[in-house]
Amino acid sequence: MIAKIIEGRSFGGCVGYALKKDSEIIHVNGLRTDSAKTITQDFNFQRMLNPRLGKAVGHIILSWNTEDKNKLNNDIMLSAAK
């Protein structure tokens, strides 16, 4: 597994990337997942709780080796992400 950390300025861009084709949400806490719009709204509402916050958008990409595909399931990936 390789992890890459990205900082950004736009929740919309991050959410759009995370919800691209063939993606799946395997865990969520404190967000509505009806659509990319509601997820982005919820992130922005949470950001307003601390107006002094500068770069509030962070995204960690976890990339798994394709040879490990048969060994992985959502529980294993979620455990590693946490």
Side-chain angles (χ1 to χ4, degrees):
M1 175 183 67
I2 298 172
K4 181 178 180 181
I5 301 172
I6 299 172
E7 289 183 4
R9 296 182 208 163
S10 164
F11 287 115
C14 181
V15 170
Y17 173 81
L19 296 180
K20 64 184 180 184
K21 183 180 174 186
D22 297 329
S23 65
E24 178 183 358
I25 297 173
I26 60 173
H27 179 73
V28 66
N29 187 8
L31 296 173
R32 295 170 293 158
T33 58
D34 306 330
S35 67
K37 182 179 178 179
T38 60
I39 294 170
T40 302
Q41 286 173 341
D42 288 349
F43 277 133
N44 281 316
F45 290 145
Q46 291 177 23
R47 181 183 197 168
M48 286 188 257
L49 295 174
N50 187 354
R52 298 172 310 198
L53 190 60
K55 289 187 176 180
V57 181
H59 179 77
I60 301 173
I61 300 167
L62 300 178
S63 299
W64 307 90
N65 189 318
T66 55
E67 294 176 9
D68 293 334
K69 186 175 183 175
N70 294 331
K71 302 174 191 174
L72 295 172
N73 61 42
N74 287 350
D75 292 332
I76 291 170
M77 292 186 286
L78 179 59
S79 177
K82 285 182 177 184

XYZ file of all heavy atoms in Angstrom:
638
model
N 0.844 -1.177 0.000
C 0.000 0.000 0.000
C 0.884 1.232 0.000
O 1.893 1.289 0.691
C -0.896 0.006 1.238
C -1.718 1.245 1.371
S -2.731 1.338 2.862
C -1.503 1.462 4.126
N 0.482 2.203 -0.774
C 1.153 3.495 -0.828
C 0.128 4.561 -0.453
O -0.997 4.536 -0.926
C 1.705 3.784 -2.239
C 2.755 2.748 -2.626
C 2.259 5.197 -2.325
C 3.211 2.849 -4.059
N 0.531 5.483 0.417
C -0.353 6.581 0.813
C 0.197 7.891 0.261
O 1.403 8.115 0.268
C -0.453 6.658 2.331
N -0.694 8.720 -0.215
C -0.327 10.041 -0.719
C -1.262 11.056 -0.078
O -2.481 10.896 -0.114
C -0.462 10.088 -2.240
C -0.078 11.414 -2.846
C -0.185 11.359 -4.360
C 0.193 12.694 -4.962
N 0.085 12.669 -6.421
N -0.689 12.098 0.523
C -1.474 13.134 1.198
C -1.525 14.375 0.315
O -0.490 14.844 -0.166
C -0.868 13.479 2.572
C -0.835 12.227 3.451
C -1.658 14.602 3.234
C -0.085 12.395 4.745
N -2.734 14.877 0.119
C -2.933 16.057 -0.723
C -3.679 17.119 0.088
O -4.650 16.810 0.757
C -3.763 15.703 -1.973
C -3.038 14.652 -2.810
C -4.061 16.945 -2.805
C -3.875 14.115 -3.955
N -3.193 18.368 0.018
C -3.907 19.501 0.604
C -4.543 20.284 -0.527
O -3.971 20.408 -1.596
C -2.945 20.425 1.352
C -2.405 19.849 2.627
C -1.512 20.838 3.354
O -1.383 21.997 2.907
O -0.939 20.451 4.377
N -5.722 20.799 -0.276
C -6.394 21.559 -1.317
C -7.197 22.700 -0.760
O -7.172 22.981 0.431
N -7.951 23.338 -1.644
C -8.760 24.486 -1.257
C -10.244 24.227 -1.458
O -11.066 24.966 -0.968
C -8.367 25.696 -2.098
C -6.961 26.144 -1.865
C -6.685 27.371 -2.699
N -5.257 27.396 -3.001
C -4.713 28.112 -3.934
N -5.451 28.862 -4.698
N -3.428 28.073 -4.134
N -10.585 23.206 -2.216
C -11.977 23.019 -2.600
C -12.497 21.658 -2.172
O -11.973 20.623 -2.593
C -12.103 23.150 -4.124
O -13.324 22.632 -4.574
N -13.514 21.663 -1.330
C -14.143 20.398 -0.958
C -14.808 19.766 -2.177
O -14.800 18.556 -2.338
C -15.176 20.604 0.151
C -14.574 20.880 1.486
C -14.756 22.097 2.099
C -13.816 19.921 2.135
C -14.207 22.357 3.349
C -13.267 20.163 3.374
C -13.453 21.389 3.981
N -15.379 20.591 -3.046
C -16.036 20.071 -4.242
C -15.098 19.272 -5.115
O -15.447 18.199 -5.605
N -13.888 19.781 -5.306
C -12.904 19.073 -6.118
C -12.489 17.759 -5.486
O -12.376 16.732 -6.160
N -12.292 17.774 -4.195
C -11.893 16.568 -3.466
C -13.003 15.524 -3.501
O -12.759 14.351 -3.784
C -11.544 16.937 -2.028
S -11.007 15.548 -1.028
N -14.227 15.948 -3.230
C -15.363 15.019 -3.225
C -15.593 14.472 -4.627
O -15.834 13.282 -4.803
C -16.637 15.706 -2.677
C -17.869 14.849 -2.888
C -16.452 16.035 -1.202
N -15.495 15.335 -5.629
C -15.648 14.884 -7.015
C -14.636 13.817 -7.377
O -14.965 12.828 -8.035
N -13.393 14.008 -6.939
C -12.353 13.015 -7.197
C -12.651 11.710 -6.466
O -12.551 10.627 -7.027
C -10.983 13.546 -6.770
C -9.907 12.493 -6.872
C -9.316 12.208 -8.092
C -9.506 11.763 -5.751
C -8.348 11.225 -8.200
C -8.537 10.785 -5.853
C -7.963 10.516 -7.076
O -7.011 9.537 -7.182
N -13.048 11.823 -5.213
C -13.299 10.625 -4.404
C -14.493 9.826 -4.906
O -14.547 8.608 -4.717
C -13.499 11.015 -2.944
N -15.442 10.489 -5.547
C -16.649 9.804 -6.012
C -16.629 9.516 -7.507
O -17.672 9.301 -8.115
C -17.884 10.639 -5.673
C -18.163 10.843 -4.190
C -19.415 11.685 -4.000
C -18.304 9.517 -3.465
N -15.441 9.452 -8.078
C -15.378 9.169 -9.513
C -15.893 7.758 -9.800
O -16.188 6.992 -8.874
C -13.953 9.356 -10.024
C -12.942 8.402 -9.443
C -11.547 8.715 -9.912
C -10.597 7.707 -9.273
N -9.237 7.978 -9.591
N -15.987 7.441 -11.043
C -16.540 6.153 -11.496
C -15.910 4.975 -10.752
O -14.721 4.955 -10.493
C -16.284 6.017 -12.999
C -16.873 4.781 -13.608
C -16.591 4.719 -15.081
C -17.066 3.388 -15.625
N -16.689 3.207 -17.011
N -16.724 4.003 -10.419
C -16.319 2.757 -9.756
C -15.819 2.959 -8.328
O -15.131 2.102 -7.784
C -15.251 2.007 -10.565
C -15.752 1.571 -11.925
O -16.961 1.291 -12.041
O -14.949 1.517 -12.874
N -16.128 4.089 -7.712
C -15.728 4.293 -6.323
C -16.855 3.841 -5.408
O -18.002 3.690 -5.819
C -15.375 5.756 -6.065
O -16.510 6.562 -6.221
N -16.496 3.628 -4.145
C -17.469 3.162 -3.167
C -17.132 3.767 -1.814
O -15.976 3.773 -1.402
C -17.393 1.634 -3.074
C -18.321 1.024 -2.066
C -18.163 -0.491 -1.966
O -17.349 -1.061 -2.706
O -18.853 -1.076 -1.125
N -18.124 4.294 -1.132
C -17.941 4.804 0.223
C -18.078 3.615 1.167
O -19.113 2.958 1.187
C -18.977 5.883 0.555
C -18.807 7.089 -0.370
C -18.856 6.307 2.022
C -19.891 8.126 -0.230
N -17.028 3.343 1.942
C -17.091 2.190 2.855
C -17.258 2.606 4.308
O -17.509 1.763 5.160
C -15.874 1.252 2.684
C -14.570 1.967 2.965
C -15.869 0.648 1.294
C -13.349 1.056 2.967
N -17.133 3.895 4.601
C -17.355 4.373 5.971
C -17.577 5.873 5.927
O -16.923 6.590 5.178
C -16.143 4.058 6.849
C -16.297 4.539 8.258
N -17.126 3.928 9.153
C -15.740 5.581 8.906
C -17.065 4.564 10.316
N -16.229 5.573 10.180
N -18.497 6.343 6.753
C -18.740 7.778 6.850
C -19.241 8.078 8.257
O -19.902 7.252 8.886
C -19.749 8.252 5.769
C -21.108 7.674 6.005
C -19.801 9.751 5.691
N -18.897 9.263 8.745
C -19.358 9.695 10.053
C -19.590 11.200 9.993
O -18.664 11.962 9.744
C -18.317 9.351 11.124
C -18.825 9.617 12.522
O -19.985 9.909 12.735
N -17.933 9.520 13.481
N -20.818 11.620 10.187
C -21.121 13.044 10.245
C -21.363 13.704 8.908
O -21.338 14.929 8.822
N -21.608 12.935 7.865
C -21.892 13.497 6.544
C -23.122 12.834 5.944
O -23.350 11.641 6.134
C -20.731 13.249 5.572
C -19.386 13.875 5.864
C -18.360 13.367 4.880
C -19.473 15.380 5.809
N -23.869 13.629 5.197
C -24.938 13.046 4.384
C -24.293 12.563 3.091
O -23.463 13.258 2.511
C -25.997 14.094 4.055
C -26.736 14.610 5.285
C -27.588 15.812 4.955
N -26.703 16.942 4.610
C -27.075 17.985 3.880
N -28.299 18.048 3.392
N -26.239 18.968 3.623
N -24.635 11.380 2.643
C -23.996 10.813 1.452
C -24.965 10.682 0.284
O -24.769 9.852 -0.599
C -23.374 9.441 1.779
O -24.400 8.572 2.269
C -22.265 9.570 2.795
N -25.999 11.514 0.261
C -26.977 11.464 -0.823
C -26.345 11.777 -2.175
O -26.694 11.188 -3.188
C -28.116 12.455 -0.577
C -28.774 12.266 0.781
O -28.793 11.136 1.281
O -29.262 13.270 1.333
N -25.435 12.743 -2.172
C -24.820 13.193 -3.426
C -23.515 13.921 -3.105
O -23.236 14.252 -1.945
C -25.763 14.147 -4.162
O -25.912 15.349 -3.426
N -22.748 14.190 -4.154
C -21.523 14.976 -3.978
C -21.855 16.355 -3.425
O -21.109 16.920 -2.617
C -20.784 15.093 -5.304
N -23.001 16.894 -3.820
C -23.407 18.225 -3.354
C -23.639 18.239 -1.845
O -23.174 19.147 -1.150
C -24.680 18.667 -4.087
C -25.152 20.046 -3.705
C -26.393 20.440 -4.477
C -26.871 21.820 -4.047
N -28.062 22.229 -4.797
N -24.348 17.239 -1.312
C -24.617 17.234 0.128
C -23.345 16.965 0.929
O -23.164 17.535 2.002
C -25.698 16.202 0.510
O -25.281 14.890 0.130
C -27.026 16.545 -0.116
N -22.466 16.127 0.410
C -21.194 15.884 1.102
C -20.390 17.175 1.165
O -19.866 17.550 2.220
C -20.390 14.768 0.396
C -21.122 13.431 0.515
C -18.986 14.656 0.988
C -20.527 12.318 -0.344
N -20.301 17.884 0.040
C -19.562 19.146 -0.009
C -20.182 20.175 0.927
O -19.467 20.882 1.653
C -19.532 19.680 -1.461
O -18.928 18.696 -2.299
C -18.759 20.976 -1.556
N -21.509 20.267 0.956
C -22.187 21.194 1.864
C -21.846 20.879 3.320
O -21.558 21.793 4.108
C -23.698 21.123 1.669
C -24.195 21.768 0.417
C -25.685 21.518 0.199
O -26.269 20.600 0.770
N -26.301 22.335 -0.642
N -21.868 19.603 3.676
C -21.570 19.216 5.059
C -20.138 19.556 5.442
O -19.875 20.031 6.548
C -21.860 17.736 5.279
C -23.353 17.425 5.294
O -24.165 18.374 5.338
O -23.700 16.236 5.258
N -19.196 19.317 4.534
C -17.804 19.705 4.812
C -17.704 21.212 5.005
O -17.021 21.691 5.910
C -16.875 19.272 3.683
C -16.418 17.852 3.769
C -16.465 17.035 2.648
C -15.909 17.313 4.941
C -16.026 15.725 2.703
C -15.472 16.008 5.012
C -15.531 15.209 3.882
N -18.377 21.982 4.167
C -18.331 23.441 4.290
C -19.000 23.927 5.573
O -18.508 24.869 6.205
C -18.953 24.103 3.056
C -18.006 24.113 1.887
O -16.817 24.413 2.029
N -18.504 23.762 0.713
N -20.098 23.294 5.994
C -20.730 23.645 7.266
C -19.757 23.402 8.424
O -19.628 24.213 9.331
C -22.012 22.850 7.493
C -23.150 23.221 6.588
C -24.037 22.255 6.152
C -23.347 24.532 6.165
C -25.094 22.585 5.310
C -24.397 24.871 5.329
C -25.273 23.898 4.900
N -19.065 22.273 8.390
C -18.099 21.964 9.448
C -16.934 22.939 9.430
O -16.434 23.338 10.482
C -17.597 20.525 9.291
C -18.671 19.502 9.601
C -18.209 18.083 9.368
O -17.023 17.781 9.386
N -19.155 17.181 9.137
N -16.523 23.353 8.244
C -15.430 24.312 8.130
C -15.812 25.650 8.769
O -14.973 26.325 9.366
C -15.080 24.521 6.666
C -13.935 25.485 6.468
C -13.690 25.710 5.008
N -12.379 26.302 4.818
C -11.770 26.410 3.672
N -12.340 25.952 2.590
N -10.598 26.973 3.588
N -17.065 26.056 8.659
C -17.520 27.331 9.232
C -17.433 27.350 10.759
O -17.452 28.422 11.357
C -18.951 27.625 8.792
C -19.055 28.065 7.353
S -20.724 28.623 6.966
C -21.358 27.216 6.077
N -17.324 26.180 11.377
C -17.189 26.134 12.833
C -15.861 26.721 13.303
O -15.714 27.097 14.452
C -17.333 24.692 13.332
C -18.705 24.054 13.105
C -18.668 22.584 13.497
C -19.767 24.796 13.890
N -14.877 26.783 12.409
C -13.575 27.372 12.732
C -13.169 28.306 11.597
O -12.415 27.918 10.706
C -12.522 26.279 12.941
C -11.211 26.844 13.446
O -11.033 28.058 13.533
N -10.284 25.983 13.771
N -13.644 29.542 11.597
C -13.373 30.459 10.488
C -11.899 30.846 10.341
O -11.495 31.313 9.283
C -14.232 31.686 10.812
C -14.651 31.551 12.225
C -14.518 30.114 12.606
N -11.086 30.623 11.368
C -9.656 30.952 11.279
C -8.868 29.898 10.515
O -7.704 30.090 10.195
C -9.056 31.091 12.676
C -9.672 32.204 13.500
C -9.156 32.140 14.899
N -9.325 30.759 15.357
C -9.303 30.353 16.599
N -9.108 31.216 17.555
N -9.471 29.103 16.933
N -9.501 28.787 10.236
C -8.824 27.682 9.571
C -8.448 28.073 8.155
O -9.279 28.563 7.394
C -9.749 26.463 9.556
C -9.165 25.144 9.126
C -8.012 24.741 10.038
C -10.254 24.076 9.177
N -7.208 27.844 7.796
C -6.732 28.159 6.449
C -7.081 27.053 5.478
O -8.196 26.954 4.992
N -6.124 26.196 5.222
C -6.366 25.075 4.317
C -7.096 23.972 5.073
O -6.530 23.276 5.896
C -5.045 24.539 3.766
C -4.383 25.450 2.776
C -3.183 24.781 2.161
C -2.558 25.657 1.099
N -1.391 25.024 0.507
N -8.356 23.828 4.766
C -9.184 22.870 5.499
C -9.351 21.553 4.752
O -9.841 20.592 5.307
C -10.555 23.465 5.759
N -8.958 21.518 3.499
C -9.198 20.329 2.684
C -7.960 19.441 2.693
O -6.879 19.861 2.303
C -9.554 20.708 1.234
C -9.833 19.469 0.404
C -10.755 21.639 1.213
N -8.155 18.231 3.162
C -7.086 17.244 3.135
C -7.634 15.942 2.599
O -8.782 15.582 2.856
N -6.836 15.267 1.823
C -7.282 14.018 1.202
C -6.106 13.049 1.234
O -5.004 13.411 0.856
C -7.712 14.289 -0.240
C -8.172 13.083 -0.984
N -9.421 12.534 -0.791
C -7.555 12.326 -1.899
C -9.549 11.483 -1.587
N -8.420 11.341 -2.266
N -6.355 11.870 1.719
C -5.314 10.837 1.735
C -5.747 9.739 0.782
O -6.821 9.154 0.933
C -5.095 10.264 3.143
C -4.693 11.377 4.105
C -4.037 9.164 3.103
C -4.611 10.943 5.548
N -4.911 9.484 -0.198
C -5.179 8.436 -1.177
C -4.419 7.188 -0.744
O -3.212 7.234 -0.503
C -4.696 8.858 -2.575
C -5.406 10.126 -3.017
C -4.902 7.729 -3.581
C -4.777 10.780 -4.224
N -5.128 6.083 -0.617
C -4.493 4.801 -0.319
C -4.541 3.956 -1.579
O -5.622 3.640 -2.077
C -5.207 4.084 0.829
C -5.249 4.829 2.159
C -6.022 4.018 3.186
C -3.849 5.127 2.658
N -3.384 3.608 -2.093
C -3.295 2.810 -3.319
C -2.780 1.426 -2.962
O -1.724 1.285 -2.360
C -2.351 3.469 -4.328
O -2.821 4.747 -4.677
N -3.530 0.434 -3.369
C -3.192 -0.952 -3.059
C -2.557 -1.606 -4.273
O -2.892 -1.306 -5.410
C -4.455 -1.716 -2.661
C -5.207 -1.042 -1.569
C -6.189 -0.118 -1.703
C -5.009 -1.190 -0.164
N -6.631 0.302 -0.473
C -5.925 -0.343 0.491
C -4.157 -1.970 0.609
C -6.018 -0.251 1.864
C -4.259 -1.881 1.977
C -5.164 -1.032 2.600
N -1.671 -2.534 -4.030
C -1.042 -3.287 -5.104
C -2.100 -4.152 -5.779
O -2.881 -4.834 -5.115
C 0.075 -4.164 -4.522
C 0.917 -4.809 -5.593
O 0.410 -5.282 -6.593
N 2.214 -4.828 -5.368
N -2.125 -4.140 -7.093
C -3.133 -4.926 -7.822
C -2.986 -6.426 -7.564
O -3.960 -7.161 -7.660
C -3.046 -4.666 -9.335
O -1.717 -4.917 -9.787
C -3.431 -3.234 -9.660
N -1.801 -6.864 -7.199
C -1.597 -8.290 -6.887
C -2.297 -8.688 -5.586
O -2.530 -9.870 -5.347
C -0.109 -8.605 -6.789
C 0.617 -8.452 -8.113
C 2.112 -8.679 -7.986
O 2.576 -9.127 -6.908
O 2.821 -8.394 -8.963
N -2.625 -7.723 -4.743
C -3.293 -7.998 -3.466
C -4.812 -7.918 -3.552
O -5.500 -8.077 -2.553
C -2.809 -7.014 -2.389
C -1.352 -7.223 -2.047
O -0.861 -8.352 -2.221
O -0.714 -6.254 -1.596
N -5.350 -7.692 -4.741
C -6.787 -7.481 -4.897
C -7.618 -8.614 -4.289
O -8.626 -8.367 -3.636
C -7.134 -7.327 -6.376
C -8.574 -6.960 -6.618
C -8.840 -6.693 -8.083
C -10.289 -6.245 -8.264
N -10.573 -5.861 -9.626
N -7.201 -9.851 -4.467
C -7.960 -10.991 -3.944
C -7.856 -11.130 -2.428
O -8.639 -11.853 -1.817
C -7.511 -12.292 -4.611
C -7.837 -12.308 -6.086
O -8.801 -11.688 -6.524
N -7.033 -13.002 -6.867
N -6.896 -10.454 -1.820
C -6.695 -10.526 -0.368
C -7.425 -9.415 0.376
O -7.495 -9.435 1.602
C -5.204 -10.428 -0.034
C -4.347 -11.486 -0.665
C -2.883 -11.196 -0.381
C -1.984 -12.077 -1.221
N -0.582 -11.703 -1.060
N -7.952 -8.443 -0.356
C -8.541 -7.255 0.261
C -10.058 -7.342 0.321
O -10.701 -7.933 -0.540
C -8.159 -6.004 -0.521
C -6.684 -5.646 -0.534
C -6.431 -4.507 -1.502
C -6.205 -5.286 0.853
N -10.604 -6.739 1.351
C -12.042 -6.523 1.441
C -12.245 -5.181 2.145
O -11.296 -4.556 2.599
C -12.758 -7.675 2.165
C -12.278 -7.862 3.588
O -12.073 -6.892 4.322
N -12.096 -9.110 4.001
N -13.471 -4.727 2.232
C -13.742 -3.408 2.822
C -13.281 -3.307 4.262
O -12.799 -2.264 4.695
C -15.223 -3.073 2.721
C -15.641 -2.722 1.295
O -14.793 -2.551 0.431
N -16.927 -2.632 1.077
N -13.419 -4.384 5.044
C -13.003 -4.340 6.445
C -11.495 -4.129 6.568
O -11.031 -3.347 7.411
C -13.409 -5.620 7.170
C -14.912 -5.746 7.335
O -15.593 -4.701 7.388
O -15.402 -6.895 7.427
N -10.714 -4.804 5.749
C -9.251 -4.669 5.797
C -8.854 -3.257 5.365
O -8.005 -2.618 6.001
C -8.584 -5.731 4.903
C -8.779 -7.127 5.512
C -7.102 -5.431 4.693
C -8.369 -8.274 4.612
N -9.446 -2.764 4.289
C -9.099 -1.424 3.814
C -9.521 -0.352 4.809
O -8.768 0.600 5.048
C -9.718 -1.181 2.436
C -9.097 -2.040 1.351
S -9.664 -1.663 -0.314
C -11.314 -2.361 -0.273
N -10.682 -0.505 5.431
C -11.140 0.455 6.429
C -10.231 0.453 7.641
O -9.858 1.507 8.170
C -12.577 0.153 6.847
C -13.196 1.063 7.899
C -13.190 2.508 7.425
C -14.603 0.611 8.222
N -9.817 -0.715 8.080
C -8.901 -0.818 9.220
C -7.592 -0.114 8.929
O -7.066 0.618 9.772
C -8.667 -2.299 9.556
O -7.735 -2.417 10.591
N -7.054 -0.309 7.743
C -5.803 0.355 7.366
C -5.983 1.864 7.278
O -5.109 2.632 7.689
C -5.297 -0.194 6.034
N -7.118 2.304 6.777
C -7.374 3.739 6.643
C -7.495 4.413 8.008
O -7.022 5.527 8.205
C -8.647 3.969 5.825
N -8.142 3.732 8.945
C -8.299 4.306 10.284
C -6.955 4.397 10.975
O -6.660 5.273 11.725
C -9.271 3.475 11.121
C -10.707 3.681 10.731
C -11.615 2.871 11.607
C -13.073 3.121 11.292
N -13.948 2.405 12.190
